[in-house]
Structures are given as structure tokens and as C-alpha cells.
Amino acid sequence: MKPLMLNWRRLCAAVLLLACACAQAAPGRERLSLDRGWLFHLGDIVEPPIKGHGESYGNAKAGNAGGAAGNEFDDSDWRHLDLPHDWAVEGPFDPNANVSQGYRPRGIGWYRRYLQVDPKDRGRHFELQFDAIATHATVWVNGNVVNRNWSGYNASYIDITPYLRYGGETNTIAIRADAEAMEGWWYEGAGMYRHAWLVKRNPVHVVTDGVHATPRAGKNGQWTIPVEVTLDNSGKQAAAVTVEVTVFDPAGKQVARRSVAARLGVLASSTVQVPLSIANPALWSLEKTNLYRIATRVLQDGEALDEVSLHTGFRTIRFDAAQGFFLNGVHMKLQGVCIHQDHAGVGVAVPDSVWEYRLRRLKELGVNAIRFSHNAPAPEVLDLIDRMGFLVMDENRNFNPSPDYMKQLEWMVKRDRHHPGVILWSVFNEEPVQATEVGYEMVRRMSAAVKALDDTRPVTAAMNGGFLTELNVSHAVDVVGANYQVPDYDRYHKAHPDKPFTSSEDTSAFMTRGEFKTVREKNLIASYDDDAAEWGNTHRDAWEAIATRPYVAGGFVWTGFDYRGEPTPNEWPSVSSVFGIMDLNGFPKNAYYIHQVQWIKDRPLIHIAPHWNWSGSEGKDIRVMVMANVERVELLLNGRSLGEQKVDPYRMNFFNVAYAPGKLEAIGYRGGKEVARTSVETTGAAVALELVPDRAQLAGDGRDAMPITVRALDAQGRAVPLADAQVTFAVKGGGRSIGHGNGDPNSHEDEKGATRRLFNGLAQLIVQTDYAGKDAIDVVATAPGLAPAHISIPVKAVPEQPYVAAAEAPLTFVRSWRIAPDGDQRPDPNQQLAGFDMNTWGWGSPPMIAGAEKPGRYHLYRASFTARKNLADGSGQIHFAGIRGKAEVWLNGKLLGQKDSYALAALDLPLPAGPGKRDINVIVEAEPGQASGIEGAVSITPRLLAK
Ligand code: GAL
């Protein structure tokens, strides 16, 4: 006996060692893309009402969600797609749909995704992350509702560890996205339009957004980062760990490190303080975006259990009531724009690289500040902001201090507080209660919630009035934000000279790109900056009001880009706005040049409007606008001087020119010397198409996307400003078209189709690489009567972003069984069980084994299932992975097949063709004195696949 016991001990020790080795070898944190492999159904899926008692009972149980939310729903005919996805932009326009949403029906959609989890990962913590879903989203995992998120602009982080199945069994994620719900009065898109992730990590880990690292300036170049790290332990043992935070400078050199011990209870979380000091860091500014990396590790016995990195920057900000805004002590006027989040061709499902393009266009325009109106942007956008150098007003969507909504505000602050680019938290935009005590009390609470998470930035609210009443929202914020209200700027400042003040929104002027005549009946608005909304101002008036008042910190033009919806002052057939400085593609309107010469000071700039193609208007006066940031401008037509003017930096310069075809040229002078020159020329008719890619190459990662400018050239190779050719695209090779646009607010063309008309000479095609894309993307553009254009954009093979493969060919598992009491007599397989009887028969799912000690030899198991359509046509089979004992299988009251041996074995029985739900009864007969039952999983599989 003794030696045997010893052996057992040894064996146990060896097993334990093995377990430890496994635990140590387990990888740390993995953040895997979950963008690929979704199934999509447009429209709601409503299940028939539940009426029976048994069904009601079952429906109320964990894991039993029915219909498309459940595990076994037949989605075999759903569409396959990858994220990001906006279904609203795919649909046609409808004059009866909501004007604010751009006449785009939105509706309800369902997504499903399958995944398999390696048994080696058992014990790790699994979190699903959805960066945003429009608009109300409910998420189920394996039939359990795991999250409800009622904002289309914030992320959900969902711990799915408890519900997971490991090994061959498939896990089901189901999402119902209700985009009937609206949170805005602009185009909001529909569906899973941002990224999705699966994060696997140690049960002892840093929670998502759990590192608070916001630098603070001290004296004499001494800075501190009072780092706080929030940890969580979902494991089965308490943990004693060390939290180590290391700071790396922009060159990757370590500049600070500190470790702090922490103890974590089981299923408990804890926040650890790790204060750090850094002397003379390289400051972050708009020109030098020095970013420091903060690496946080959780260590146990020297092994890293978890590791997470984020970046931050060292900079000071200050809003002064008299002088406006200072960055690192240097005064800076906020030259800002408000932007929504949709782009031509893709709706709100904007690839990260198209965001880079959009921000690059804003940089070229001279923008230094962005208000993401009226919601927090995608996280990748804020990373770009920090890298490219912009200041951001980060805005909360829903104004409501009740607990559910306060969580949305807190999420934004927690996620974004490490970004040096963020300089203001905005709690709302234009709320009717803003002038009242109610508004004040609501903001007071929301502002306090923000301060509790980050007291390094001021809180603002974008008020369109109401700031002059006795008690209002302005009393509860640090910086007063005024939307429009120019006539009240001075009045407010006089009454409150100690309160910092900025325009939070201004302008709202109208312009259709490339149009220089207003034609009301065609919803076209000229680009001379004459027209603005009643509550707004022209671009020039708005900026003059801001620029000439030192106490106004700056402005945020409504808007940087056109967006779908809100086609003010028009309605149908206009489907997108005309407020933008640029159109929906990022093509400049005339407002672009007005602002560029006002905002860019470090180099001479000069522009002329309009184009010079006015055939039929020979001899008639054309109004010419010259925009320049120099001292004087001279205009010449075909080499003949039309006179000089002193530059008016706010109003711009105007000339009336009798039209003659040829070359209209403007020269800019400083100190009497020519410093800038530009011209517009009368072109000939279009003869050829041209494709101009935005960048020289693409990364073959399935995400990289690039806008290509499409235009028409005359025989001399000059772009024809009024060309309106109908262009057809063919895209081949390592990528595909993901949409196109032309900036025409009245266009109803399909944004995903093969053709697009040029609007005032331009269109944009967006191509994206395939996953593992390589070689090149070839684009051919053709149009009747024009020479075609062809470009080949090289695609560089790059390592794949780690991702979760979609589980293939999901099977129907028969999981929920009733088990009749055991007996010594063979039971009637079709015996009745009353619908209200929840208890005489037991409940189970495989493995369902009755031990040898059980008296009865016969066991009856009952379940029902619906086979997926592709297997209900006679090509499927019922696959029992293992039955111990002899068995009879009855389907819908008829004997389907038998197992004649007692030994544990698989059993496959052909599934007769037929639709709908089927009832299955299995009698298992035990070998005398032996255990018996349905031991392995029961599934409906294709016949050929079954082993
Ligand atoms: C503002 C509002 C914006 C937009 C704009 C149009 O009042 O904040 O979202 O609607 O008007 O002028």
C-alpha cells in the first residue's frame, strides 16, 4: 500500500508542476481584432409570442434566449461581412425618411458571430469590446444577454468569461442593433460602425481604461504623473502582485519607473497609486508631438501576468478670462472646426486611414482645434490627434446626470484623459434648460463627475444662449462655450470679466462646392460666402468677431466637412449639409481658402475664385474673390493688370472682371515684393479621365484605405472645373472599392455602386486592401467619350493584425434535455410530459451519465431542435459524439435508429428532410451494473463531415 500512495503523491506533484508550467507559459494580454467574419441580417427578427407554460419557464432561464439572440438560430442565409459596417449608407434614399438623417432609412439589424476557444485558454479572462454600435445595442453570448448599451457613441466592455465553452463547441455572439433610436439630428449611420475586439488576459489584470496617467506640471521643469492603476481579479485565488509602471521618452529611453505591491481578493478589484516624477520632459505641442509611453505591468513572483501601454504627453493648458487660450504658456487662438463622423462612400464606417486623410486636410487648412460634435470620436481618431497635433473639445452625447447616462460621460473621461490633445470636456450641446436652475443643477453634477476622474482640464458646455440669466449652466462650468450668440459676446464678457469664454460653435454658412451662382430651385448655393443661417454668420463675419476679441479663446466653425443629413436651408432632394469648409469627400470649397489665408501665417498664400470657364458670358462682369495673407494683391487677365488692392484679412478682396477666356492671375506682394502667385485658366473640353491617389502605396492588412481623386482633363492636361462625366470604376487585385462620393448634396447615386458622376469636376473613389492583400490594386475609370484612366497602387504585404478567426460552419447543438426518472422497464419514448411539469423530469445537457449505482437500467432523454436550413434538406445527420449503453433514437414519434452495443460509441443517424422544430427522444439501456447515458455532445452535422 505504502509505495502506491507515494506514487500517487508523486503523480499529483507532477500534475501540479505541469499545471504551474502551463500557467507560467500562458501568454499575457492578447488584443485580437474581431472585425472579421460577421453575419448580418437587415430588419428585425421577431419570434412568435411564447404561450405554453414549459416554454415560458425555459425562456426565463439563463442561456435560453430564443430566436436570433439564441445559440441555435439558423443564420445560414445571412450576409457575410467584416467591420466596420454602416448599413444605412448602403440603402437608397427615401423622401419619406427623416430629413435629419439624410433621408436614409435606418431600422433594425442583427449581427451574429461564432468563435471557438482553445481549451488551453481556460482560466483566462475574456472581454468583448465594441468601440461603438449605432444606436441601441443588445448583446447576447451563448444565449445570455450580457450587455445593453443605449448610446451609439460609446464603447461596451463585456466580460464573457463565465459563459464560454471551450474546445470544439462553438460560442455564439448575437447583437441586435436598433437604429430606429436617434440621439442626434444629423446622419448617425446604423450598426457596428467602429471596431470590435476580443481581449484575452490573465484573471489578474488591469481593467480596460484602467491606467490613469495624466501629467501635471510642477515648478522648475519638474513634472509628476500621479498614476493610478485599477486591477481586477476574476480568478479563484487571492493574488499578491507588484504593479510596475515605466515611462519611456519619445526615443524609447526609460525615464521613470516605480513598483508598488498590491493584494487582490477573489473577484475583487482595487486601485493602486503609483506616483512618478519626471524632470524636464520634452513638451508636447502642435508642432512637436512628443509622446511618452506609459507601460504598466502586473507581476507575480517576477512573471508578468498582464501588461498594457498607453501614451501621454507633457503640456500645460490655460484658459484666461482676458486673453484666451495658452498652450505651454504660449498664447494661441483656437482655429477650430466642429465635425461629425461620416465620410463619402462609407457613411460612419470610416476606416482609420481615411480619418488620417481627413485630419491631414484639416491640418493643411490651418485648423488647430477640433470639436467632435456632438459625441466622443473613435479611439483611433484621438491617437491620430495626439500624433498629428490638434487640440480637442471632447463632447459627451447625452445630457443627463442619472446613473445610466453618467456612465457614458465617465466612460469618455476614463478612456480619453491620457490624451494630451484633449483640452476641454464638454458636457452638452445646446440644451433648452441651459438658462435655468435645472440646467445648472444637472451640469453641476456632471462637472463634478468629470472632475473626480480628471481635474486637469476645464469643463465646458456649448450654450446657444441663456448665459446671462441669474442662475444658469455657465455658473457650473469652467469655460463658457457660446454657440453663435455673437451679439452677446461683449455683453457677457462685461458682466463676467473673470470667466474664460470661447466660441464653441459658430458660422453655419452655406456653400455648394464649385458653384458660383445661387439657384434656389436647384438647391445650389454660391461660394462667395454671402449666405449663412439666421442664427449664424458668414465665415468671414464669424471669424472677424472671434479674432478681434482677445478674451474669446477661439472658434469652432460649423463645420469642417459636409455631413449627411441636416441639409439646411434646403430639404429634399438635398440629402446632405452644405455647412462644410470642405465637402463630404474633403474637397475644398471656397471657404477652405478663406480660412486658410486667415489661419496660416508662416507662409504666403493666395487663391482666386471662381474658375475661369464662363463660356457664353463673354464681356459680362464676373465677381472675382481673391484670398491672400499678404499685404497687397494684383489681378491680371491675360497679362493685363486689372489693378491692385490692399489685402483685407477679414473681408477678402473682390474685383469685377469682364469675362474673356484665358488666364486670370493674382499676384501677392509683401513690402512691394512678389511673394505669391496663382491663376485660373479657361480649359478646353474634357478629353480624358485622371485618377490621383492620395498616397503612393497601401498596406495589405485589410484595413488600409485610400481616397482616389477622380477628375477630367482637357487636351492640355488641365482639370476641367465643370466636368460632369458619368464615371464607371473597375477595381481589381489586392483590394476593392468601399464606396465613392462627389460632394453633390443633391445626388441620390448609390454610394457603393460601380459608377459615379463627376460633380463640378470631381469625384472620389475609396479603395481598401484585402486581408493579406498583396501586389497592387488596379483601378480603371471609364466614361463615355473620354480616354480611360488606369492606376496601379502598390500594396505592401504587412504582418496581419492579430485577429480571432470566425468559427466555420456552425453546427446545431442539442443542448437542453429533459431526463425522465430511471426505471427497470423500457419506457414509452413518446409518453406525455405536461407542459406545466417542470420537476418530475430532470434537466441536463451532455454529458448526462447515470452511475452504475443507479437502480434503473433505462433512461429516457427528450429534447427538441431546429436544424439549419442547409442541413434540413436531407443532407444532415444527428451526431451523438458518445452514447454509453444500448440506445433507441425516436424522432417526431418514429423510431429513427438504434445502437446495439453497450460500449461507449458515437452514433450517426440521417436526418430526414423537413422544416421546423423536431422532437427527439432517446432511450438508453445500461449494461447491468455499469454507468450509462448520453456522454458526448449531440449535434446536427453535414453527413459528409461527420467522422
Ligand atoms: C447648431 C447645432 C448643430 C447644427 C447647427 C446647424 O445649433 O449645435 O448641431 O445643428 O446648429 O446650424
Side-chain angles (χ1 to χ4, degrees), residues 226 304 436 466 556 597 605 635 678 728 783 800 851 932:
T436 68
F556 290 88
V597 301
L605 293 167
L635 196 65
T678 189
T728 300
E800 243 172 351
S932 68

Coordinates of all heavy atoms in Angstrom, one line a residue, residues 226 304 436 466 556 597 605 635 678 728 783 800 851 932:
P226 N 0.6 61.3 -11.3 CA 0.1 60.5 -10.2 C -0.7 59.3 -10.8 O -1.9 59.3 -10.7 CB -0.8 61.5 -9.5 CG -1.1 62.6 -10.4 CD -0.2 62.5 -11.6
A304 N 5.4 38.4 -15.5 CA 4.4 39.4 -15.9 C 3.0 38.7 -16.2 O 2.9 37.9 -17.1 CB 4.8 40.2 -17.1
T436 N -31.5 77.8 -17.0 CA -32.3 77.6 -15.7 C -31.6 76.9 -14.6 O -30.5 76.4 -14.8 CB -33.6 76.7 -16.0 OG1 -33.1 75.4 -16.3 CG2 -34.3 77.2 -17.2
G466 N -28.7 81.9 -23.0 CA -29.1 81.6 -21.6 C -28.0 81.9 -20.6 O -28.2 81.7 -19.4
F556 N -15.0 77.5 -33.3 CA -15.2 76.2 -33.9 C -16.2 76.3 -35.0 O -17.5 76.4 -34.7 CB -15.7 75.2 -32.8 CG -14.6 74.9 -31.8 CD1 -14.4 75.7 -30.7 CD2 -13.7 73.8 -32.0 CE1 -13.4 75.4 -29.7 CE2 -12.7 73.5 -31.1 CZ -12.5 74.3 -30.0
V597 N -6.2 81.4 -45.5 CA -5.3 82.6 -45.5 C -5.5 83.3 -44.2 O -4.6 84.1 -43.8 CB -5.7 83.5 -46.7 CG1 -5.4 82.8 -48.0 CG2 -7.1 84.1 -46.6
L605 N 0.2 82.9 -49.0 CA -0.8 82.1 -49.7 C -1.7 83.1 -50.5 O -2.0 84.2 -50.1 CB -1.7 81.4 -48.7 CG -1.0 80.3 -47.8 CD1 -2.0 79.9 -46.7 CD2 -0.7 79.1 -48.7
L635 N -4.5 91.8 -59.7 CA -5.2 90.8 -60.5 C -4.8 91.1 -62.0 O -4.8 92.3 -62.4 CB -6.7 90.9 -60.3 CG -7.5 89.7 -60.8 CD1 -7.1 88.4 -60.0 CD2 -9.0 90.0 -60.6
T678 N -0.9 82.9 -58.2 CA -1.8 81.8 -58.6 C -2.6 82.2 -59.8 O -2.6 83.4 -60.1 CB -2.7 81.4 -57.4 OG1 -3.4 80.2 -57.7 CG2 -3.7 82.5 -57.1
T728 N -17.4 55.1 -64.6 CA -17.5 53.7 -64.2 C -16.2 53.2 -63.7 O -15.2 53.4 -64.4 CB -18.1 52.9 -65.3 OG1 -19.4 53.4 -65.7 CG2 -18.3 51.4 -64.9
A783 N -15.4 56.6 -69.0 CA -16.6 57.4 -69.1 C -16.8 57.6 -70.6 O -15.8 57.7 -71.4 CB -16.4 58.8 -68.4
E800 N -0.1 40.4 -40.4 CA -1.5 40.5 -40.2 C -1.8 41.0 -38.7 O -1.1 40.6 -37.8 CB -2.2 39.2 -40.3 CG -3.2 39.2 -41.4 CD -3.7 37.8 -41.7 OE1 -3.2 36.8 -41.2 OE2 -4.7 37.8 -42.5
G851 N -24.8 6.9 -13.0 CA -23.7 6.0 -12.5 C -24.2 4.5 -12.3 O -25.4 4.3 -12.4
S932 N -24.3 4.5 -17.6 CA -24.8 4.7 -19.0 C -25.3 6.1 -19.2 O -25.5 6.9 -18.2 CB -25.9 3.7 -19.2 OG -27.0 4.1 -18.4

